[in-house]
Amino acid sequence: MSREEDDDLVVEFRVQLMEVDEDMPAERLVHEINGTIKLMDIEGQEQPIGALKAYLINVAGLAAEGVHLFDPYDMRQQHLSETVNRVFDFDAYEFIPAVLKKAGFFESDSIEWHVHMFGLYLEPKFRGRGRGVRALHLLRWYTERPGLLATARAFPREPGEDGNPSVEATRALARYYLSAKGLGLKQLGRLDQGWLVANWSP
């Protein structure tokens, strides 16, 4: 469990090791991180108010064991597969140089891990006080390690008339994440698509 100093917000993280395929365990390689976002009152009672999910991939470990980089992502959800295609050039089989430069990495070999914030949700009545960003700060603290490429997508939970978040809502959430000091997130592509990238190495 993690808690921001002088705050009533805590996040309880649970980590599940994921299989790359049926023949190769993913220990130390692919992790699903689920966080329960809670408020703590003065008596120490906790009230769940939201949740987040992230995937942490040991890129260096996969390469060392000869696992094709796309294999673990291919078994995850579609959204994570989209993420990989935005940061990795499969024709050249390397991280896209422009993405590395934007995130603050000098070369592909300096990336050892990749964390992707897959989803963040707060119940509506608890929004508007920066709690979602504070939960992301705790995720950064929890996952921080050398060579950590971080990606996220601003993707509002409430759909528009077509079943997807509106362009305006996506842009607003992306700007909100980008403005958060300490997260170091930078725009990756069009703002209305919400993709963000950062270097979360210590």
Side-chain angles (χ1 to χ4, degrees):
M1 183 177 295
S2 303
R3 178 175 180 172
E4 278 217 335
E5 186 177 358
D6 298 326
D7 203 322
D8 58 355
L9 187 86
V10 295
V11 180
E12 181 180 6
F13 292 108
R14 299 177 307 283
V15 180
Q16 177 181 354
L17 298 177
M18 310 294 292
E19 289 186 357
V20 175
D21 57 43
E22 294 182 355
D23 300 321
M24 183 176 293
E27 185 177 0
R28 305 179 313 282
L29 301 181
V30 183
H31 312 78
E32 180 180 280
I33 301 174
N34 289 286
T36 302
I37 304 169
K38 304 176 181 180
L39 291 181
M40 181 179 292
D41 63 24
I42 58 175
E43 297 179 352
Q45 298 297 313
E46 298 174 351
Q47 177 185 9
I49 64 169
L52 64 80
K53 175 177 285 190
Y55 290 100
L56 179 64
I57 314 295
N58 186 332
V59 175
L62 291 172
E65 296 195 19
V67 180
H68 190 285
L69 183 61
F70 196 69
D71 286 347
Y73 296 96
D74 198 37
M75 297 180 66
R76 304 285 76 80
Q77 300 188 41
Q78 174 96 25
H79 179 67
L80 188 56
S81 298
E82 288 183 59
T83 305
V84 178
N85 280 286
R86 290 184 174 270
V87 300
F88 196 83
D89 182 344
F90 283 96
D91 291 329
Y93 211 74
E94 65 178 9
F95 283 97
I96 299 170
V99 173
L100 297 188
K101 183 177 180 181
K102 183 178 285 289
F105 287 95
F106 295 105
E107 56 187 11
S108 292
D109 291 345
S110 61
I111 298 178
E112 299 182 27
W113 295 83
H114 174 203
V115 63
H116 178 64
M117 195 276 286
F118 180 79
L120 172 64
Y121 176 77
L122 284 177
E123 295 178 16
K125 66 180 180 179
F126 294 105
R127 298 174 188 172
R129 296 186 60 182
R131 289 173 173 142
V133 163
R134 283 181 281 162
L136 286 182
H137 274 281
L138 290 173
L139 176 66
R140 176 173 184 173
W141 172 84
Y142 187 73
T143 59
E144 193 172 76
R145 61 203 65 207
L148 179 61
L149 174 71
T151 54
R153 190 179 186 189
F155 197 77
R157 189 75 167 261
E158 287 73 19
E161 293 181 358
D162 63 352
N164 295 308
S166 69
V167 169
E168 293 77 12
T170 300
R171 285 175 177 164
L173 185 58
R175 290 192 188 98
Y176 179 56
Y177 288 158
L178 290 169
S179 68
K181 295 180 180 180
L183 290 180
L185 292 169
K186 298 182 180 179
Q187 184 176 335
L188 183 61
R190 289 166 40 190
L191 193 63
D192 60 3
Q193 294 180 342
W195 294 99
L196 309 170
V197 66
N199 182 342
W200 279 4
S201 306

